[in-house]
PDB file of all heavy atoms in Angstrom:
ATOM      1  N   GLN A  81     100.707 134.326  91.839  1.00 98.00           N
ATOM      2  CA  GLN A  81     101.268 134.968  90.831  1.00 98.00           C
ATOM      3  C   GLN A  81     102.498 134.306  90.257  1.00 98.00           C
ATOM      4  O   GLN A  81     103.617 134.819  90.342  1.00 98.00           O
ATOM      5  CB  GLN A  81     101.684 136.285  91.348  1.00 98.00           C
ATOM      6  CG  GLN A  81     100.527 137.187  91.875  1.00 98.00           C
ATOM      7  CD  GLN A  81     100.904 138.467  92.467  1.00 98.00           C
ATOM      8  OE1 GLN A  81     101.963 138.663  93.002  1.00 98.00           O
ATOM      9  NE2 GLN A  81      99.998 139.522  92.433  1.00 98.00           N
ATOM     10  N   VAL A  82     102.324 133.124  89.725  1.00 98.00           N
ATOM     11  CA  VAL A  82     103.372 132.272  89.245  1.00 98.00           C
ATOM     12  C   VAL A  82     104.201 132.956  88.237  1.00 98.00           C
ATOM     13  O   VAL A  82     103.722 133.754  87.393  1.00 98.00           O
ATOM     14  CB  VAL A  82     102.955 130.887  88.647  1.00 98.00           C
ATOM     15  CG1 VAL A  82     102.252 130.019  89.833  1.00 98.00           C
ATOM     16  CG2 VAL A  82     102.005 131.180  87.625  1.00 98.00           C
ATOM     17  N   VAL A  83     105.560 132.660  88.177  1.00 97.00           N
ATOM     18  CA  VAL A  83     106.531 133.105  87.177  1.00 97.00           C
ATOM     19  C   VAL A  83     107.143 132.001  86.495  1.00 97.00           C
ATOM     20  O   VAL A  83     107.053 130.842  87.023  1.00 97.00           O
ATOM     21  CB  VAL A  83     107.485 134.093  87.786  1.00 97.00           C
ATOM     22  CG1 VAL A  83     106.895 135.266  88.469  1.00 97.00           C
ATOM     23  CG2 VAL A  83     108.504 133.296  88.813  1.00 97.00           C
ATOM     24  N   ARG A  84     107.744 132.195  85.380  1.00 95.00           N
ATOM     25  CA  ARG A  84     108.396 131.022  84.596  1.00 95.00           C
ATOM     26  C   ARG A  84     109.368 130.229  85.490  1.00 95.00           C
ATOM     27  O   ARG A  84     109.539 129.069  85.275  1.00 95.00           O
ATOM     28  CB  ARG A  84     109.070 131.537  83.326  1.00 95.00           C
ATOM     29  CG  ARG A  84     108.055 132.013  82.317  1.00 95.00           C
ATOM     30  CD  ARG A  84     108.438 131.598  80.887  1.00 95.00           C
ATOM     31  NE  ARG A  84     107.353 131.884  79.937  1.00 95.00           N
ATOM     32  CZ  ARG A  84     107.391 133.046  79.101  1.00 95.00           C
ATOM     33  NH1 ARG A  84     108.463 133.830  79.144  1.00 95.00           N
ATOM     34  NH2 ARG A  84     106.394 133.106  78.297  1.00 95.00           N
ATOM     35  N   GLY A  85     110.064 130.958  86.264  1.00 94.00           N
ATOM     36  CA  GLY A  85     111.040 130.224  87.117  1.00 94.00           C
ATOM     37  C   GLY A  85     110.422 129.198  88.160  1.00 94.00           C
ATOM     38  O   GLY A  85     111.235 128.437  88.817  1.00 94.00           O
ATOM     39  N   ASP A  86     109.107 129.236  88.291  1.00 96.00           N
ATOM     40  CA  ASP A  86     108.547 128.343  89.217  1.00 96.00           C
ATOM     41  C   ASP A  86     108.258 127.040  88.437  1.00 96.00           C
ATOM     42  O   ASP A  86     107.829 126.075  89.232  1.00 96.00           O
ATOM     43  CB  ASP A  86     107.003 128.945  89.694  1.00 96.00           C
ATOM     44  CG  ASP A  86     107.146 130.278  90.449  1.00 96.00           C
ATOM     45  OD1 ASP A  86     108.292 130.348  91.094  1.00 96.00           O
ATOM     46  OD2 ASP A  86     106.294 130.972  90.494  1.00 96.00           O
ATOM     47  N   SER A  87     108.452 126.952  87.145  1.00 96.00           N
ATOM     48  CA  SER A  87     108.256 125.726  86.490  1.00 96.00           C
ATOM     49  C   SER A  87     109.250 124.701  87.072  1.00 96.00           C
ATOM     50  O   SER A  87     110.414 124.854  87.052  1.00 96.00           O
ATOM     51  CB  SER A  87     108.470 125.832  84.988  1.00 96.00           C
ATOM     52  OG  SER A  87     107.522 126.826  84.386  1.00 96.00           O
ATOM     53  N   ALA A  88     108.711 123.589  87.563  1.00 97.00           N
ATOM     54  CA  ALA A  88     109.490 122.530  88.224  1.00 97.00           C
ATOM     55  C   ALA A  88     108.579 121.441  88.573  1.00 97.00           C
ATOM     56  O   ALA A  88     107.401 121.401  88.326  1.00 97.00           O
ATOM     57  CB  ALA A  88     110.094 123.008  89.510  1.00 97.00           C
ATOM     58  N   ALA A  89     109.228 120.371  89.102  1.00 97.00           N
ATOM     59  CA  ALA A  89     108.521 119.167  89.656  1.00 97.00           C
ATOM     60  C   ALA A  89     108.410 119.438  91.157  1.00 97.00           C
ATOM     61  O   ALA A  89     109.506 119.666  91.817  1.00 97.00           O
ATOM     62  CB  ALA A  89     109.005 117.778  89.316  1.00 97.00           C
ATOM     63  N   TYR A  90     107.220 119.376  91.742  1.00 98.00           N
ATOM     64  CA  TYR A  90     107.004 119.536  93.158  1.00 98.00           C
ATOM     65  C   TYR A  90     106.707 118.133  93.824  1.00 98.00           C
ATOM     66  O   TYR A  90     105.682 117.589  93.298  1.00 98.00           O
ATOM     67  CB  TYR A  90     106.045 120.563  93.445  1.00 98.00           C
ATOM     68  CG  TYR A  90     106.418 122.017  93.046  1.00 98.00           C
ATOM     69  CD1 TYR A  90     106.302 122.375  91.670  1.00 98.00           C
ATOM     70  CD2 TYR A  90     106.936 122.800  93.863  1.00 98.00           C
ATOM     71  CE1 TYR A  90     106.810 123.618  91.353  1.00 98.00           C
ATOM     72  CE2 TYR A  90     107.407 124.082  93.634  1.00 98.00           C
ATOM     73  CZ  TYR A  90     107.288 124.468  92.222  1.00 98.00           C
ATOM     74  OH  TYR A  90     107.706 125.722  91.960  1.00 98.00           O
ATOM     75  N   PHE A  91     107.462 117.745  94.812  1.00 98.00           N
ATOM     76  CA  PHE A  91     107.214 116.484  95.331  1.00 98.00           C
ATOM     77  C   PHE A  91     106.765 116.697  96.817  1.00 98.00           C
ATOM     78  O   PHE A  91     107.372 117.479  97.477  1.00 98.00           O
ATOM     79  CB  PHE A  91     108.380 115.643  95.367  1.00 98.00           C
ATOM     80  CG  PHE A  91     108.744 115.072  93.949  1.00 98.00           C
ATOM     81  CD1 PHE A  91     109.774 115.836  93.154  1.00 98.00           C
ATOM     82  CD2 PHE A  91     108.161 113.985  93.278  1.00 98.00           C
ATOM     83  CE1 PHE A  91     110.054 115.383  91.832  1.00 98.00           C
ATOM     84  CE2 PHE A  91     108.510 113.535  92.024  1.00 98.00           C
ATOM     85  CZ  PHE A  91     109.472 114.304  91.347  1.00 98.00           C
ATOM     86  N   CYS A  92     105.872 115.870  97.226  1.00 98.00           N
ATOM     87  CA  CYS A  92     105.432 115.705  98.581  1.00 98.00           C
ATOM     88  C   CYS A  92     105.973 114.389  99.135  1.00 98.00           C
ATOM     89  O   CYS A  92     105.938 113.341  98.390  1.00 98.00           O
ATOM     90  CB  CYS A  92     103.990 115.846  98.636  1.00 98.00           C
ATOM     91  SG  CYS A  92     103.240 115.442 100.199  1.00 98.00           S
TER      92      CYS A  92
END
Side-chain angles (χ1 to χ4, degrees):
Chain A
Q81 299 176 330
V82 296
V83 301
R84 288 223 171 101
D86 296 332
S87 296
Y90 291 83
F91 291 96
C92 167

